[in-house]
Amino acid sequence: GGTCVCVLKDGSVFGEMAAVCKNPAVARRTATVRAKTLCDCRVTYREDLLTLMGRFKEDSAVLEAEVERRLDDLREKGKLPQKKEWWRLDAGAGNGDPDPDKSSGLV
């Protein structure tokens, strides 16, 4: 059962929102993934991903752009408040405050 939200293709990524976003409103699981055919799934743990993002800035920018696109999509659907920049990685991240208006979403 359920509703098909999208069909992923070779090289697609899923779960990155939960991996890079600290804010619980964004990082929570929102879908179940089911394969239609045989697929090769790889797991990257959050800490490892954040380390790699720190080392590979161009790749990090691509992932951050995708996160921003998905956040905009969630806002359009009314699942998140209108645009805030609280999810971006910055020097003030990690303050432990779950309020999306006060805390950074990455890290």
Side-chain angles (χ1 to χ4, degrees):
T3 302
C4 180
V5 176
C6 72
V7 176
L8 302 176
K9 299 176 182 173
D10 286 347
S12 294
V13 174
F14 61 91
E16 74 284 353
M17 297 293 285
V20 299
C21 295
K22 176 179 120 178
N23 188 286
V26 178
R28 68 184 165 84
R29 180 178 167 265
T30 59
T32 298
V33 177
R34 292 192 181 138
K36 288 183 171 184
T37 63
L38 180 66
C39 65
D40 182 14
C41 291
R42 308 288 172 102
V43 174
T44 301
Y45 294 98
R46 182 176 195 272
E47 290 179 17
D48 297 333
L49 179 62
L50 294 176
T51 298
L52 290 171
M53 288 175 69
R55 291 182 185 159
F56 299 96
K57 299 297 185 186
E58 288 181 19
D59 295 321
S60 179
V62 170
L63 184 57
E64 288 178 9
E66 178 62 15
V67 167
E68 187 168 345
R69 185 192 68 75
R70 291 190 187 188
L71 288 172
D72 288 341
D73 185 49
L74 290 170
R75 282 186 199 94
E76 286 178 19
K77 293 177 180 176
K79 306 270 185 190
L80 286 179
Q82 288 306 307
K83 189 165 187 162
K84 303 277 183 179
E85 296 286 333
W86 48 263
W87 65 272
R88 289 189 178 277
L89 178 62
D90 63 15
N95 64 8
D97 190 342
D99 182 350
D101 292 327
K102 297 179 184 173
S103 64
S104 173
L106 287 180
V107 180

